[in-house]
Amino acid sequence: MNNREQTLSIIKPDAVERNLIDDIKKIFISNNINIKNSKKIHITKDEAAEFYKVHQSKPFYNDLCAYLSSGPIVVMILEGENAILANRKIMGATDPRKAEENTIRKLYGISIDKNSVHGSDSKENAKKEIDFFFKD
Ligand code: ADP
Ligand code: MG
């Protein structure tokens, strides 16, 4: 079966701050995920609030938006076979303590909020999130 997909990945401030950009990119590449586009940016809290709008009713929403806008991030379009689910597997569980061995979050995540990476969770959200950062 052939199902080439694109998904959005973000290397979050905690990982950029610890110089983990190349290490994380190598993990994608070694898993046959192509990094089609990549840029380092620093977003505002309002932009983070727009990006994470689906979580607006959650108790951690404000902290989450403050965090994503707290320092530089790297946004990437990943491309590959079943890339959306593949990336979620490579990332590991939201809470690094629950993430499987050798996942990015297990290797590098500090806590549930400082969990080093974001990845789109569905085809629909992947498209929305790619457009959010790369439509110009
Ligand atoms: P994921 O990033 O694995 O898709 P969610 O979409 O559920 O996870 O949540 C988005 C982000 O919000 C998480 O990556 C994490 O940084 C933060 N978050 C999720 N749940 C919590 C929580 N209980 N407390 C603090 N931050 C959280
Ligand atoms: Mg999510």
Side-chain angles (χ1 to χ4, degrees), residues 5-130:
E5 291 177 334
Q6 290 190 346
T7 190
L8 184 90
S9 170
I10 304 178
I11 303 177
K12 294 183 178 182
D14 67 272
V16 173
E17 192 175 85
R18 287 176 290 147
N19 294 314
L20 294 169
I21 297 170
D22 288 345
D23 298 271
I24 290 172
K25 285 185 171 179
K26 274 181 204 155
I27 294 175
F28 293 130
I29 292 159
S30 70
N31 279 280
N32 264 325
I33 299 279
N34 179 36
I35 300 167
K36 220 199 149 203
N37 211 332
S38 170
K39 61 183 179 187
K40 194 184 202 180
I41 56 177
H42 192 159
I43 62 172
T44 64
K45 194 177 173 192
D46 283 351
E47 288 167 330
E50 181 64 29
F51 178 75
Y52 271 134
K53 216 170 180 171
V54 292
H55 294 301
Q56 61 188 335
S57 62
K58 309 269 173 67
F60 56 81
Y61 180 61
N62 187 57
D63 286 348
L64 177 62
C65 299
Y67 172 60
L68 196 70
S69 57
S70 68
I73 59 175
V74 176
V75 293
M76 294 167 287
I77 300 174
L78 304 184
E79 194 176 70
E81 194 64 17
N82 299 313
I84 298 165
L85 189 60
N87 178 42
R88 295 291 310 193
K89 284 194 175 154
I90 295 163
M91 288 164 60
T94 307
D95 182 348
R97 291 173 302 183
K98 295 179 184 158
E100 279 183 48
E101 292 300 324
N102 292 316
T103 59
I104 295 171
R105 283 168 165 172
K106 177 73 175 188
L107 289 168
Y108 303 125
I110 296 169
S111 57
I112 193 161
D113 45 332
K114 295 186 174 175
N115 59 8
S116 303
V117 279
H118 166 86
S120 309
D121 62 4
S122 66
K123 213 164 177 97
E124 187 192 352
N125 284 335
K127 187 180 182 327
K128 272 191 210 161
E129 293 179 359
I130 287 169

